[in-house]
Amino acid sequence: MRKNYNLEKRKYIIGGFIILIGLIYLVRLFDLQINDEQYKQSADSNAFLKKTIYPSRGLIYDRNGELVVFNQPAYDVMLIPRDVHPFDTLDFCQTINISREQFDKRMADMKDRRLNPGYSSYTPQRFIAQLSVEDYGRLQEKLYRFPGFFIQKRILRQYKTPTAANVLGNIREVNKKDIERDNYYAAGDYTGDLGVEKSYEEHLRGVKGVEILMRDARGRIQGRYEDGAQDVEPISGRDLRLSLDIKLQQYAESLMVGKRGAVVAIEPSTGEVLCMVSMPNYDPTLLVGRQRGENYRKLVNDQSWPLYDRSIQASYPPGSTFKPSQGLIFLEEGIIDTKTTFPCTGGYVSGGLRVGCHPHGSPLPLIPALATSCNAYFCWGFKSMVDRRSKYGTSAKAFEVWKNHLVSMGYGYKTGIDLPGESRGFIPNAKYYDKFYKEGRWSANTIISVAIGQGEILATPLQIANLGATIANRGFFVTPHVVKEIQDTVIDSKLLERRYPSIEAKYYTPIAEGMRAAVTGGTCRGAAIPGIEVCGKTGTAQNPHGNHHAVFMGFAPYDNPKIAIAVFVECGGYGATYGVPIGSLVMEKYLTGTISPGRKATEELMLNSKVYYAPPKKK
Amino acid sequence: MPLPRRNDPSLTFRHLDWPTIIIYLIMVFAGMVSIYAACYNFDNASMFAISEFSGKQLRWIGLSLILGLIILLIDARMYETYAFPVYIGLMILLAITPFLAEDTKGSYSWIKFGSSMSLQPAEFAKFATALALAKLLSGYHFNLNASYVNYLKAITLILVPVVLILLQNETGSALTFLALFFVLYREGMSGLVLFAAFFAVVIFVVGIKFTETMILGMPSGEFYVMLMIMVVMTGMTVVYSRRLEVGRNLLLWFLGVGLVEYILSLCGIEIPGLAVNLGAIAIACVYIVFEAITLRRPKLYVSALTAVLSLVFMFSIGAAFNHLQPHQKLRIEVALGIVEDLRDAGYNVNQSKIAIGSGGFFGKGFLNGTQTKLKYVPEQHTDFIFCTIGEEEGFVGAMIVTLLFLGLILRVIKIGERQPSTFGRVYAYCVASYFIFHFCINIGMVIGLCPVIGIPLPFFSYGGSSLWGFTILLFILLKIDASRKTS
């Protein structure tokens, strides 16, 4: 048969057609497999069920190695909405002890993106949090009847003693902000709230692990991906060793029962906080488990503010405990020497102004002035410094020098303690008074109350304890901190450095002597502990809201001090009434481990006495 | 020199087209390995265990090779001689299949033999129809274009199995036979028919896909179709009139109308776009008829006729589309991307795209695919076998398979063109056409470019009928080719 060459050309058209199709397919394959990442992600979320394995949270020990906070398991009921098939709802509700209404509400809440922004029908969602062990046991047996549901083990905290809630803090469920801030968190995770649980969260929480399971198109688990080769083991959180002595903490808390205020004790040489009491306190176990929300609300609404950590958040006028820092400044500035005397005519009288004082000998040099807590001495000292134009030019300039010394001692700014929420206290600067009284229109007498730790001056109990530690160290302090050691790592070096205020070390000796004299023969006699050279300073801070705050600041022993302390008892009256006994009992307990028989009566009194606080006035 | 025996096996093997054989062997064994991977169920049964699909496929492959050998040993002229009886026999079998077959997912195309084996006669109708068509077209003095009766005969040969298989509810397999129109084209059918078919598909797709937005007061799909009609008209007019100026006039006319429409719409004046465009095309048609008469080129009428028929077709699509069954409509809409339904109709395609897309360049490695193994992809060892290759062997694997098919098809065309007999050539083109159709549709649906039509990927997909059907198809060609010098 004759070949038709015209038609034979058509082989090129047919061949060209198939080559064209082949090219189109190759381009498409290239696009799907290499260009577009989307399919790879879809494939992963399709086929892999990533199960989070929660690490055990770091444990918390006290300075003596005693366990304070540990973990307990809790069981959350989780579900993947897409995998849930119709099941016996009634049976389910009975198993975990909820009503049908609660069940429906939980389901609706879970799917409400306003309440649960991370909702997706493809990812695990929490249905019920923290099942009781009995409910957990029952549900575990029947779980196969409820496809799509599974149980997620979680870690909750438990406390050996209901102590130091303000320092320890607690854990709470993460909120939307936490998740946005830190991508470690997923909805339903827990994070530290308040205390060291918050400030050491990153050490305590550890690293979450992942178990990668393969799931088929019907959501059935088909086994572990690559036999677990890609799984990530969780890494347990690091244990913390607190500097707190939990026994001392308990003792101090017991002494403070019935009173409001704070006790802060520091080991002067290291800056380690030995106890840190804020009263009223609360039982940290209240904030664990399913009742947390309700208990938390109760604590927030409590008129006595138990959640408010008075030891670091409350700013009180320090009263006479402020005087040692005054003495230091006057000595440093050469306003006085240890022999300089000021008269006290029943108080400080100058330019029609009078600051009262209690009866004692006059005139006095520095040491007896500290011992007797002479208001006039420190007012005169303050006046001679602030009004010394020959040296400073103006009162404002003199005042700035005065203020800067105080700041170097740790006043007016956060000390940098490793706890969240610390308050700054308050030390005014010259501008503050310029604004208040007009520039150049004020002098020492205008603001004389700051000389005795009243007026605008505010300090936290921690700052006053730190002052005690600085004097005990004769010229330096270490940033107070509550964590002594972190497992497998070191604490922040800033918490170990010595900080030197702008006062020469030699000037601390007369101040310490004055505080010693206050105990041996001054206002602080009640602080004396047999066999220990205690130094102390009382304070009676005037308080516009009621009775004076009782304040005590001290350290012991005189040489090589082991403990410095500050006590604030709100509306406790004279410093000697509550401040001194509580402070000295805590010091004695820490130093000797017991209370000497002669002081048992004082201890008994402190344990049982209560301060009456008027209910807050309705505004 | 003694004349060689007509059917000497040694000669057959000497003249055998080994490249095709090699491609064939690579494909069937790669297919078996892919089937093993697709059904690998984490419990490490052997690839060759008869309980596995791969083991079963190996049995089918073994039987295929025996079948191929038998085919090679039969005298090539037997195929030509018995072409019609074989065809008639298979058509009868197809006709009675629905009565013998059990319901398999709604189709009645499988005949059971014993407990474990079943065959699909539709797969064997392929080679029978190819033989019959080759026989018809190679008839003495048979010329397709000599008479419409000849076309009628050829088209009837093709449509009989199509109808019979449609009756078994196997739409995919039935459509396969339409690929034989490529053969008719090679043998002299006007390219216009293929072009018309292609243009019809384009109009259909564009007309249905773009119904949401409006341009000049009509659905944008219709607007685009009209634009295409204008372009096609102009092109055809140039080709058929062999005068560039006629085409130029048409082009200027359409551009002028378009420009006026564009300027008016920019000025915010509403114009009845449909009427204007129809008018423009109508005037162009009148002009073409005028030129056809003055230039005495009656072929020019085709140009005008194409425009008119295209418009009629476009307007009837809507009505026709609405007459399709809902699931067919949905499949078409999903394939065209009108409906995004990832759960039902689109699920298969989406999952197969995910599986392939997650493969990357080198793939996840043999047996490491997650999508296919975890049964996200449906029919993973049969129609969607290409997914497993794409996921586990990546772009490289998918490209190799694509190139293997291109190689096979081009090789078959080459074999066809070197046949001294029309019978051999037509048969070869039939084989090529089937492969073209299966390759285009199967891989096209897996990568989301074609609607899902359930047909297997030759030599790769699991299944004895398909493997045997294609093996017979290919080995008859090889036998005819090997004996071309002796006949």
Side-chain angles (χ1 to χ4, degrees):
Chain A
M1 190 186 162
R2 182 179 61 90
K3 263 200 164 181
N4 186 333
Y5 289 100
N6 210 15
L7 286 181
E8 196 186 330
K9 282 183 199 155
R10 292 188 168 179
K11 72 180 179 190
Y12 296 114
I13 293 178
I14 296 174
F17 169 78
I18 188 64
I19 289 171
L20 180 72
I21 296 280
L23 284 177
I24 291 171
Y25 284 8
L26 286 180
V27 168
R28 170 71 169 183
L29 281 168
F30 184 86
D31 191 48
L32 279 180
Q33 299 190 286
I34 296 162
N35 267 354
D36 202 334
E37 282 296 312
Q38 175 207 333
Y39 293 105
K40 291 170 193 62
Q41 288 162 9
S42 304
D44 283 1
S45 66
N46 239 347
F48 297 135
L49 175 65
K50 290 187 177 167
K51 256 185 109 172
T52 306
I53 311 171
Y54 285 90
S56 146
R57 195 170 171 87
L59 307 179
I60 302 179
Y61 299 90
D62 89 335
R63 68 184 290 116
N64 301 316
E66 214 164 296
L67 186 60
V68 181
V69 185
F70 59 102
N71 294 323
Q72 59 172 337
Y75 304 94
D76 286 0
V77 181
M78 312 286 290
L79 62 85
I80 297 173
R82 189 176 74 137
D83 299 341
V84 174
H85 303 297
F87 60 97
D88 186 344
T89 320
L90 193 67
D91 184 17
F92 182 83
C93 292
Q94 279 168 356
T95 306
I96 62 170
N97 256 329
I98 58 170
S99 70
R100 182 62 208 249
E101 290 68 38
Q102 283 173 307
F103 176 89
D104 291 338
K105 176 152 193 333
R106 257 318 289 153
M107 271 293 178
D109 286 355
M110 187 184 76
K111 288 180 179 168
D112 186 340
R113 277 177 210 270
R114 278 169 305 174
L115 297 172
N116 181 14
Y119 179 77
S120 156
S121 63
Y122 289 81
T123 58
Q125 301 293 320
R126 194 178 54 189
F127 185 66
I128 301 270
Q130 299 164 18
L131 225 52
S132 72
V133 178
E134 301 82 61
D135 290 346
Y136 162 71
R138 271 201 304 278
L139 180 61
Q140 183 72 327
E141 272 173 32
K142 292 186 181 174
L143 203 58
Y144 70 94
R145 291 192 210 165
F146 311 120
F149 284 88
F150 65 96
I151 290 173
Q152 173 88 63
K153 192 177 157 191
R154 296 208 183 252
I155 301 291
L156 291 183
R157 290 305 225 185
Q158 213 164 25
Y159 301 86
K160 280 279 180 192
T161 50
T163 315
N166 58 321
V167 177
L168 299 173
N170 55 81
I171 55 174
R172 63 166 167 81
E173 218 182 298
V174 291
N175 55 33
K176 206 174 159 189
K177 269 188 199 158
D178 296 315
I179 297 170
E180 279 165 10
R181 176 176 50 84
D182 187 340
N183 59 16
Y184 176 87
Y185 298 116
D189 285 2
Y190 288 87
T191 185
D193 191 29
L194 308 176
V196 292
E197 295 275 19
K198 180 169 187 179
S199 51
Y200 287 88
E201 163 70 10
E202 281 173 26
H203 292 293
L204 287 167
R205 71 188 181 191
V207 179
K208 283 190 268 194
V210 183
E211 187 180 17
I212 305 173
L213 299 173
M214 288 186 292
R215 141 177 94 179
D216 69 12
R218 291 188 187 166
R220 292 174 302 206
I221 300 301
Q222 292 291 319
R224 302 171 75 183
Y225 180 59
E226 291 183 2
D227 284 328
Q230 303 291 323
D231 291 3
V232 180
E233 284 290 315
I235 301 171
S236 296
R238 296 182 174 127
D239 296 345
L240 296 185
R241 190 168 152 211
L242 299 180
S243 63
L244 289 195
D245 181 327
I246 209 70
K247 293 248 164 61
L248 187 70
Q249 174 83 17
Q250 272 177 286
Y251 181 66
E253 284 185 17
S254 65
L255 292 175
M256 289 291 286
V257 167
K259 306 151 195 89
R260 294 180 190 171
V263 177
V264 179
I266 297 175
E267 183 177 70
S269 58
T270 58
E272 289 169 9
V273 175
L274 299 169
C275 75
M276 185 173 246
V277 177
S278 171
M279 270 293 157
N281 62 358
Y282 59 94
D283 182 348
T285 48
L286 287 177
L287 298 184
V288 176
R290 276 161 104 173
Q291 305 307 314
R292 184 184 196 279
E294 201 186 324
N295 289 334
Y296 188 82
R297 204 170 50 248
K298 275 186 197 158
L299 289 173
V300 165
N301 293 333
D302 190 326
Q303 306 280 22
S304 64
W305 299 6
L307 286 174
Y308 181 63
D309 185 356
R310 288 166 163 84
S311 57
I312 56 170
Q313 293 180 313
S315 293
Y316 298 105
S320 300
T321 56
F322 191 61
K323 286 170 183 163
S325 41
Q326 289 281 71
L328 287 168
I329 295 168
F330 303 156
L331 288 168
E332 174 70 26
E333 288 296 309
I335 308 299
I336 57 166
D337 59 32
T338 50
K339 294 182 187 75
T340 311
T341 59
F342 288 115
C344 179
T345 53
Y348 166 79
V349 182
S350 167
L353 187 82
R354 188 189 142 81
V355 178
C357 194
H358 47 89
H360 55 76
S362 174
L364 288 175
L366 177 62
I367 292 169
L370 278 170
T372 56
S373 195
C374 175
N375 284 344
Y377 186 92
F378 293 95
C379 291
W380 282 118
F382 184 71
K383 182 173 167 61
S384 14
M385 177 172 173
V386 174
D387 290 351
R388 185 167 290 187
R389 306 239 158 82
S390 58
K391 183 169 180 186
Y392 302 105
T394 63
S395 291
K397 281 180 184 166
F399 188 78
E400 280 298 293
V401 172
W402 180 82
K403 182 214 76 182
N404 288 338
H405 284 306
L406 287 172
V407 168
S408 79
M409 286 182 232
Y411 288 102
Y413 287 90
K414 294 179 181 184
T415 62
I417 190 171
D418 49 351
L419 285 175
E422 188 188 4
S423 150
R424 285 175 64 172
F426 185 68
I427 300 291
N429 57 16
K431 270 186 201 150
Y432 178 88
Y433 290 117
D434 282 345
K435 208 174 151 194
F436 206 81
Y437 297 110
K438 298 281 183 316
E439 211 175 317
R441 300 286 297 278
W442 57 276
S443 64
N445 278 349
T446 327
I447 56 171
I448 198 69
S449 55
V450 304
I452 54 168
Q454 298 285 161
E456 289 78 17
I457 302 292
L458 293 172
T460 63
L462 177 69
Q463 284 170 332
I464 298 304
N466 191 46
L467 174 67
T470 312
I471 299 166
N473 287 333
R474 310 295 196 270
F476 73 87
F477 65 94
V478 180
T479 305
H481 51 277
V482 295
V483 170
K484 194 174 160 73
E485 279 170 19
I486 306 169
Q487 186 188 9
D488 300 333
T489 184
V490 291
I491 64 168
D492 190 348
S493 60
K494 278 185 195 158
L495 299 176
L496 300 172
E497 281 167 16
R498 289 182 172 190
R499 290 159 67 180
Y500 293 88
S502 55
I503 310 287
E504 256 189 81
K506 62 179 181 190
Y507 297 129
Y508 284 93
T509 313
I511 301 298
E513 278 175 29
M515 287 172 67
R516 177 71 191 125
V519 175
T520 52
T523 52
C524 255
R525 284 185 295 271
I529 303 167
I532 295 170
E533 290 184 289
V534 179
C535 305
K537 183 75 203 73
T538 51
T540 305
Q542 283 169 16
N543 166 24
H545 309 294
N547 199 357
H548 303 318
H549 294 323
V551 191
F552 172 75
M553 181 269 286
F555 61 90
Y558 178 79
D559 287 314
N560 202 7
K562 290 280 181 266
I563 182 169
I565 195 164
V567 179
F568 279 73
V569 177
E570 287 179 20
C571 308
Y574 291 107
T577 319
Y578 284 112
V580 173
I582 290 173
S584 74
L585 284 168
V586 171
M587 286 197 285
E588 183 176 9
K589 186 81 173 178
Y590 178 69
L591 294 170
T592 67
T594 179
I595 299 298
S596 54
R599 287 159 54 78
K600 282 284 185 192
T602 317
E603 185 189 29
E604 203 62 28
L605 184 67
M606 287 303 120
L607 287 170
N608 296 317
S609 61
K610 280 190 168 62
V611 176
Y612 172 75
Y613 296 95
K617 286 165 194 153
K618 282 177 187 162
K619 284 172 188 171
Chain B
M1 196 175 83
L3 277 170
R5 273 173 53 210
R6 272 208 321 250
N7 190 31
D8 181 349
S10 68
L11 269 181
T12 300
F13 282 98
R14 200 184 306 159
H15 292 131
L16 209 51
D17 191 65
W18 286 103
T20 311
I21 300 271
I22 290 166
I23 294 176
Y24 168 79
L25 289 175
I26 293 175
M27 282 181 163
V28 291
F29 284 106
M32 184 189 76
V33 171
S34 305
I35 291 164
Y36 179 63
C39 302
Y40 183 70
N41 210 4
F42 308 114
D43 47 11
N44 286 322
S46 160
M47 184 185 294
F48 309 107
I50 199 70
S51 59
E52 295 292 300
F53 279 117
S54 53
K56 289 185 184 135
Q57 183 75 355
L58 184 64
R59 187 182 63 186
W60 291 117
I61 291 171
L63 293 171
S64 294
L65 292 179
I66 294 169
L67 203 60
L69 197 67
I70 294 170
I71 289 167
L72 291 182
L73 292 177
I74 294 172
D75 188 340
R77 284 177 306 179
M78 300 284 276
Y79 300 116
E80 193 168 350
T81 311
Y82 291 106
F84 284 133
V86 168
Y87 176 79
I88 291 165
L90 256 302
M91 290 310 117
I92 292 170
L93 185 58
L94 281 182
I96 60 171
T97 297
F99 305 103
L100 301 176
E102 285 173 20
D103 185 347
T104 314
K105 291 180 201 164
S107 98
Y108 295 86
S109 61
W110 294 89
I111 299 177
K112 268 202 163 182
F113 296 93
S115 60
S116 66
M117 214 174 92
S118 54
L119 287 175
Q120 203 177 13
E123 291 296 342
F124 300 95
K126 284 195 175 91
F127 85 89
T129 309
L131 284 176
L133 191 63
K135 174 83 175 173
L136 176 74
L137 297 189
S138 61
Y140 188 62
H141 281 320
F142 184 91
N143 183 353
L144 257 186
N145 291 323
S147 154
Y148 287 109
V149 180
N150 288 347
Y151 270 111
L152 205 64
K153 284 178 184 168
I155 291 171
T156 309
L157 261 185
I158 296 170
L159 287 186
V160 169
V162 172
V163 171
L164 290 176
I165 297 170
L166 278 176
L167 288 176
Q168 300 171 4
N169 223 350
E170 273 286 324
T171 319
S173 299
L175 292 177
T176 310
F177 291 86
L178 296 182
L180 295 177
F181 278 88
F182 277 120
V183 181
L184 298 186
Y185 169 69
R186 169 62 185 86
E187 293 306 312
M189 184 181 74
S190 168
L192 265 178
V193 178
L194 282 186
F195 177 77
F198 174 74
F199 195 48
V201 170
V202 171
I203 291 175
F204 180 80
V205 169
V206 173
I208 287 183
K209 181 158 180 154
F210 303 100
T211 47
E212 299 297 315
T213 53
M214 303 292 274
I215 295 178
L216 298 176
M218 59 174 153
S220 46
E222 292 185 5
F223 181 80
Y224 296 142
V225 170
M226 283 181 157
L227 275 185
M228 282 188 285
I229 289 171
M230 290 174 187
V231 172
V232 168
M233 259 176 103
T234 313
M236 286 177 118
T237 307
V238 171
V239 170
Y240 290 132
S241 69
R242 301 189 186 167
R243 297 272 171 99
L244 270 177
E245 61 267 25
V246 183
R248 183 201 61 200
N249 292 345
L250 265 183
L251 194 65
L252 286 176
W253 165 242
F254 288 134
L255 282 179
V257 173
L259 198 66
V260 170
E261 284 180 345
Y262 182 67
I263 291 170
L264 286 178
S265 65
L266 273 190
C267 301
I269 299 163
E270 275 196 31
I271 33 173
L274 188 62
V276 173
N277 284 344
L278 280 178
I281 292 172
I283 291 169
C285 285
V286 171
Y287 171 70
I288 289 169
V289 169
F290 168 75
E291 288 286 2
I293 294 164
T294 49
L295 292 173
R296 297 191 185 178
R297 292 205 190 279
K299 269 194 162 182
L300 266 178
Y301 292 125
V302 176
S303 174
L305 198 64
T306 305
V308 174
L309 288 179
S310 302
L311 285 172
V312 170
F313 181 67
M314 181 185 85
F315 288 117
S316 53
I317 292 169
F321 187 65
N322 287 333
H323 276 92
L324 284 177
Q325 287 185 15
H327 74 273
Q328 290 168 325
K329 235 165 101 175
L330 193 62
R331 277 184 176 183
I332 290 167
E333 283 175 333
V334 168
L336 298 180
I338 303 166
V339 178
E340 186 120 355
D341 183 355
L342 299 184
R343 287 282 107 200
D344 298 321
Y347 176 84
N348 295 357
V349 176
N350 188 51
Q351 292 298 343
S352 91
K353 282 197 303 196
I354 289 175
I356 291 179
S358 66
F361 192 77
F362 289 111
K364 296 176 183 171
F366 182 55
L367 299 184
N368 287 335
T370 53
Q371 300 303 294
T372 44
K373 272 182 211 56
L374 295 168
K375 305 189 172 50
Y376 282 93
V377 179
E379 308 291 331
Q380 49 194 325
H381 59 295
T382 58
D383 295 351
F384 281 83
I385 188 74
F386 192 69
C387 279
T388 304
I389 298 163
E391 189 185 9
E392 298 195 345
E393 318 307 333
F395 178 67
V396 174
M399 184 175 69
I400 289 172
V401 171
T402 308
L403 293 179
L404 278 175
F405 271 102
L406 289 189
L408 179 67
I409 291 164
L410 294 176
R411 186 76 200 173
V412 169
I413 290 175
K414 186 185 161 75
I415 291 173
E417 288 297 338
R418 76 183 176 201
Q419 296 307 310
S421 69
T422 307
F423 179 79
R425 185 180 68 232
V426 172
Y427 184 78
Y429 268 95
C430 289
V431 175
S433 304
Y434 288 131
F435 283 133
I436 288 173
F437 190 84
H438 275 262
F439 165 77
C440 290
I441 297 296
N442 182 284
I443 295 187
M445 80 177 175
V446 169
I447 61 181
L449 290 179
C450 296
V452 177
I453 297 171
I455 57 172
L457 187 62
F459 306 130
F460 279 87
S461 291
Y462 172 78
S465 302
S466 144
L467 180 62
W468 281 9
F470 284 112
T471 301
I472 294 170
L473 195 64
L474 192 66
F475 275 78
I476 290 177
L477 175 68
L478 289 173
K479 176 62 188 179
I480 291 169
D481 179 56
S483 12
R484 69 186 188 269
K485 301 227 169 83
T486 57
S487 56

